[in-house]
């Protein structure tokens, strides 16, 4: 395993605060006022207001008509549209995710791994079952949880020291033992995919297959469904996802 070069960067507080505001508004069910935003993010209200005014000028947020409360503006969509237009993987994958979801009655999520702590959903197809995942495009989640996390641990050039540091921070429905988790990571290296049975979501099985870029995991495609149902179709489901990834590589 090659040593990772430490990346140094200069902290830019205003940028970090602006991003935090955008993420908060993306999660909010209703528009929020300056005081509510600053309290939630522990910002100085005047600083929060100045940042909101700049974001509004750039078309990323807008004040609700007749109030002083803020919500996301359509400028966010133009940024996302550029990502979707420029990402061949997302454009090619979505119809395939829909097909697999219908065939096996599972929810399918394609996620981009940002780093060892963060991943983001870039494409999703929900199953028709009553249980609906609380995940949408743009949702962020810890990289190392569930089956996708085992894949990243296996194919992300992660050291044992990093895994030992991150494991206690992970949240599960029923946490696996560290020993079992490491065994499952080793199995993922051999099989080319990882499985989570009931650890992350009670009564559900998650299968994740990595999408590699220069021998490192860049994305993961995960299927989530009823444990009994997914177990019966596991081999076919894995083969189907791997076939999709092979076609992505050809593109």
């Amino acid at each position: 395993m090659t040593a990772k070069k430490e990346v140094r960067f200069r902290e830019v507080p205003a940028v970090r605060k602006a991003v935090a505001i955008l993420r908060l508004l993306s999660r909010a069910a209703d528009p929020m006022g300056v005081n509510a935003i600053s309290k939630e993010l522990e910002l100085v209200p005047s600083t929060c207001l100045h940042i909101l005014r700049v974001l509004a000028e750039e078309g990323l947020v807008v004040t609700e008509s007749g109030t002083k409360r803020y919500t996301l503006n359509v400028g966010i969509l133009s940024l996302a549209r550029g990502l979707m237009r420029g990402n061949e993987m997302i454009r090619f994958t979505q119809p395939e995710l829909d097909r697999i979801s219908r065939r096996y009655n599972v929810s399918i999520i394609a996620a981009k791994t940002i780093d060892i702590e963060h991943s983001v959903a870039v494409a999703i197809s929900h199953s028709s079952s009553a249980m609906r995942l609380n995940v949408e495009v743009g949702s962020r989640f810890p990289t190392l949880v569930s089956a996708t996390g085992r894949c990243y641990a296996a194919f992300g050039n992660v050291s044992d020291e990093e895994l030992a540091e991150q494991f206690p921070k992970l949240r599960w429905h029923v946490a696996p033992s560290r020993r079992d988790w490491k065994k499952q990571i080793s199995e993922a290296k051999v099989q080319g995919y990882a499985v989570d049975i009931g650890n992350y979501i009670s009564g559900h099985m998650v299968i994740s297959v990595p999408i590699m870029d220069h021998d490192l995991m860049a994305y993961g495609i995960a299927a989530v469904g009823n444990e009994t149902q997914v177990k019966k179709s596991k081999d076919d489901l894995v083969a189907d996802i791997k076939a999709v990834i092979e076609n992505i590589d050809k593109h």
Side-chain angles (χ1 to χ4, degrees):
M1 183 178 295
T2 58
K4 294 182 179 179
K5 183 178 179 180
E6 183 179 355
V7 178
R8 297 183 179 181
F9 64 93
R10 183 177 179 180
E11 186 70 31
V12 185
V15 174
R16 193 174 293 278
K17 291 170 184 175
V19 172
I21 289 172
L22 292 173
R23 285 183 177 149
L24 175 62
L25 292 178
S26 74
R27 299 191 303 267
D30 299 300
M32 299 180 67
V34 173
N35 288 335
I37 295 171
S38 59
K39 182 178 180 180
E40 178 71 21
L41 299 177
E42 299 182 348
L43 301 177
V44 176
S46 59
T47 299
C48 182
L49 177 60
H50 289 314
I51 293 173
L52 283 165
R53 285 175 174 171
V54 173
L55 293 174
E57 181 69 22
E58 294 296 327
L60 301 179
V61 303
V62 64
T63 52
E64 188 182 42
S65 179
T67 74
K68 294 183 179 180
R69 295 184 298 174
Y70 289 83
T71 187
L72 294 182
N73 199 6
V74 293
I76 288 288
L77 294 178
S78 65
L79 296 178
R81 192 181 304 116
L83 168 66
M84 300 297 287
R85 184 173 57 247
N87 195 317
E88 289 288 341
M89 196 285 292
I90 297 173
R91 291 214 309 270
F92 174 80
T93 301
Q94 188 62 61
E96 291 298 302
L97 300 191
D98 294 340
R99 177 185 62 80
I100 294 174
S101 177
R102 290 192 300 269
R103 179 178 180 184
Y104 300 97
N105 193 25
V106 294
S107 291
I108 302 284
I109 304 166
K112 167 66 176 174
T113 54
I114 307 301
D115 53 37
I116 194 172
E117 294 186 354
H118 305 103
S119 291
V120 60
V122 295
I124 186 167
S125 184
H126 289 287
S127 73
S128 59
S129 67
M131 192 275 189
R132 180 183 173 90
L133 294 178
N134 186 28
V135 179
E136 299 297 342
V137 171
S139 295
R140 289 160 57 92
F141 54 90
T143 294
L144 288 176
V145 298
S146 192
T148 300
R150 293 171 175 87
C151 277
Y152 186 77
F155 301 106
N157 191 28
V158 184
S159 69
D160 289 339
E161 291 75 16
E162 288 175 304
L163 292 178
E165 179 184 354
Q166 293 295 324
F167 183 74
K169 303 176 184 178
L170 303 178
R171 295 183 179 181
W172 312 78
H173 173 71
V174 177
S177 68
R178 175 98 191 284
R179 181 178 180 180
D180 287 345
W181 191 59
K182 290 185 68 176
K183 179 182 177 182
Q184 292 156 1
I185 292 169
S186 297
E187 291 172 348
K189 290 180 180 179
V190 175
Q191 298 171 157
Y193 67 92
V195 174
D196 179 294
I197 304 177
N199 293 127
Y200 190 51
I201 305 174
S202 176
H204 285 69
M205 182 170 174
V206 185
I207 296 174
S208 183
V209 183
I211 300 177
M212 308 296 286
D213 183 19
H214 296 93
D215 297 323
L216 292 175
M217 179 175 170
Y219 295 84
I221 296 181
V224 186
N226 174 272
E227 179 182 335
T228 302
Q229 179 179 325
V230 174
K231 278 183 177 179
K232 291 179 180 178
S233 58
K234 179 175 75 71
D235 291 343
D236 289 339
L237 180 54
V238 169
D240 221 340
I241 295 174
K242 285 187 174 182
V244 170
I245 293 173
E246 288 178 5
N247 284 330
I248 292 173
D249 292 338
K250 292 177 182 178
H251 282 68

